């Protein structure tokens, strides 16, 4: 089943709900059905209370991680008492005859930043698309917040707290910054929109300055901020970012990584796909290396940063 096809299915699926219908309508205007599914899959604003407890839990978990003898493996993390937010076991994904994801297993614990690194074509984006329901695994299991989500539609996953900011930041080009953000909250009660906007603008003051600007005229870095902000509007439990630093100047890359750390400190658990391995590993609690569809290595961010194979392959020696 092709990518576009599953994207459209995700849109159709939610068309019965007023919010989702608005998304589908906007997609027509933007001329991109795929983008609608992603807006559906995007989502951000944890309540202040949740942020506060999340930050505390994050700190506690860092201590637990330090105590874990094998924080790299799923069992190691479980043994340390960490709560698994996402648990992926033995998934396989195909594009026709191409076997893109091969027996992949990994987990993300509450309060972590987990990085997924690897070369072009390794299967990182395919993994995220499978988690957000845009592609399906033929085997294994995917649990999110304690529930099996293998057969749950993409737009329903947003409502459950799984937000996906795709590669290439597909914002609604013809809508304003603020309209894009409002779309991100379509799974939330109307009363959450205004406080959600305030929280996003606190993380991204640049978006506040440009709230009335048409999204298509934003710079690449600003569009990345908007895509992240839109995802945050759905108050996600897990924020999945696909190559947020791609194509940005070094100063903007620094800024984006800074914001990722701020979101984490405010209580959001993050799954970060990056080709910028240096930056990703330096902020990650744990990380996995993917090569041609398989996970070949895992460990704490620090362990992988100092691993000889990783240094040679992804860190320029
Ligand atoms: N829609 C598709 N149809 C057929 N093959 C695809 C499709 N999308 C991805 N692939 C193939 O699946 C494999 C994994 O692709 P994927 O996009 O997941 O890699 P990636 O790790 O995200 O790479 P990059 O770092 O370049 O974004 C690649 O061999 C790619 O060519
Ligand atoms: Mg990719």
């Amino acid at each position: 089943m092709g990518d576009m096809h599953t994207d459209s299915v995700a849109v159709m699926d939610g068309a019965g709900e007023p919010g989702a219908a608005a998304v589908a309508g906007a997609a027509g205007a933007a001329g991109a059905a795929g983008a609608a599914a992603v807006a559906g899959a995007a989502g951000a604003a944890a309540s202040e209370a949740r942020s506060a407890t999340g930050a505390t839990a994050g700190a506690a978990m860092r201590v637990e991680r330090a105590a874990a003898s094998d924080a790299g493996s799923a069992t190691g993390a479980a043994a340390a008492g960490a709560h698994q937010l996402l648990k992926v076991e033995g998934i396989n994904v195909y594009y026709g005859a191409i076997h893109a994801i091969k027996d992949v297993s990994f987990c993300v614990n509450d309060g972590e930043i987990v990085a997924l690194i690897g070369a072009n074509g390794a299967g990182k984006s395919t993994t995220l698309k499978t988690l957000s329901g845009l592609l399906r695994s033929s085997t294994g299991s995917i649990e999110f917040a304690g529930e099996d989500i293998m057969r749950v539609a993409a737009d329903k996953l947003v409502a459950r707290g799984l937000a996906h900011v795709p590669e290439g930041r597909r914002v609604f080009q013809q809508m304003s910054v603020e309209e894009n953000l409002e779309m991100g909250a379509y799974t939330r009660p109307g009363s959450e929109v205004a406080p959600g906007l305030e929280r996003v603008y606190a993380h991204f003051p640049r978006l506040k300055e440009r709230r009335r600007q048409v999204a298509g005229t934003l710079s690449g870095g600003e569009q990345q901020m908007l895509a992240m902000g839109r995802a945050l509007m759905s108050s996600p439990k897990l924020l999945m970012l696909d190559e947020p630093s791609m194509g940005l100047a070094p100063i903007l890359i620094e800024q984006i990584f800074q914001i990722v750390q701020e979101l984490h400190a405010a209580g959001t658990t993050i799954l970060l796909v990056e080709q910028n391995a240096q930056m990703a590993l330096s902020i990650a609690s744990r990380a996995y290396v993917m090569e041609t569809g398989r996970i070949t290595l895992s460990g704490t961010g620090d362990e992988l940063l100092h691993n000889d194979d990783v240094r040679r392959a992804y860190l320029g020696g």
Side-chain angles (χ1 to χ4, degrees):
M1 197 190 291
D3 207 352
M4 280 310 291
H5 182 67
T6 45
D7 278 10
S8 316
V9 169
V11 176
M12 301 294 292
D13 224 70
E17 294 162 17
V23 172
V38 168
S47 73
E48 297 306 335
R50 183 180 157 246
S51 300
T53 49
T56 314
M61 230 160 271
R62 273 187 285 283
V63 175
E64 278 179 0
R65 269 200 304 282
S69 57
D70 179 14
S73 75
T75 45
H83 178 255
Q84 286 184 345
L85 181 58
L86 177 74
K87 186 174 167 196
V88 178
E89 276 188 354
I91 61 169
N92 282 276
V93 180
Y94 297 81
Y95 293 106
I98 299 169
H99 192 176
I101 300 295
K102 301 165 185 161
D103 292 322
V104 162
S105 301
F106 67 98
C107 70
V108 178
N109 299 311
D110 259 329
E112 286 188 311
I113 296 179
V114 170
L116 193 56
I117 62 169
N120 288 119
K124 306 179 299 295
S125 297
T126 302
T127 302
L128 293 198
K129 286 177 190 170
T130 307
L131 296 176
S132 63
L134 300 173
L135 295 170
R136 295 293 178 199
S137 169
S138 53
T139 61
S141 65
I142 306 174
E143 268 179 39
F144 177 65
E147 291 179 53
D148 172 9
I149 58 161
M150 283 280 276
R151 304 274 162 254
V152 180
D155 61 304
K156 301 284 189 296
L157 288 174
V158 182
R160 292 198 194 187
L162 192 63
H164 180 188
V165 181
E167 213 170 2
R169 34 192 105 115
R170 292 184 278 176
V171 298
F172 297 112
Q173 300 279 319
Q174 290 158 37
M175 297 171 67
S176 72
V177 165
E178 194 148 296
E179 285 163 350
N180 265 275
L181 293 175
E182 286 165 0
M183 297 290 282
Y186 84 98
T187 59
R188 313 297 304 174
S191 60
E192 287 186 20
V193 174
L197 285 173
E198 282 317 304
R199 274 186 296 272
V200 168
Y201 288 146
H203 286 294
F204 302 97
R206 181 80 72 95
L207 293 182
K208 186 170 188 177
E209 283 166 24
R210 291 166 187 268
R211 63 209 289 173
R212 307 271 168 244
Q213 187 170 328
V214 171
T217 61
L218 295 172
S219 73
E222 289 161 355
Q223 289 196 22
Q224 180 62 44
M225 292 177 191
L226 180 55
M228 290 167 69
R230 189 178 60 188
L232 288 172
M233 291 293 290
S234 72
S235 295
K237 295 189 180 91
L238 179 65
L239 179 63
M240 304 197 294
L241 303 172
D242 196 347
E243 310 258 15
S245 79
M246 188 163 51
L248 303 184
I251 178 105
L252 264 177
I253 295 179
E254 293 266 354
Q255 250 186 51
I256 292 289
F257 274 87
Q258 183 67 44
I259 291 167
V260 170
Q261 286 179 285
E262 280 172 28
L263 296 175
H264 175 242
T268 309
T269 303
I270 293 166
L271 177 56
L272 174 65
V273 162
E274 260 299 332
Q275 282 209 41
N276 191 329
Q278 175 79 42
M279 293 288 263
L281 293 177
S282 67
I283 66 166
S285 332
R286 291 183 304 111
Y288 296 87
V289 177
M290 264 192 116
E291 290 175 55
T292 56
R294 290 185 195 281
I295 287 179
T296 53
L297 202 58
S298 67
T300 64
D302 209 44
E303 279 164 3
L304 295 192
L305 210 44
H306 296 99
N307 178 288
D308 285 343
D309 292 336
V310 172
R311 296 199 72 80
R312 263 193 301 275
Y314 307 106
L315 302 171

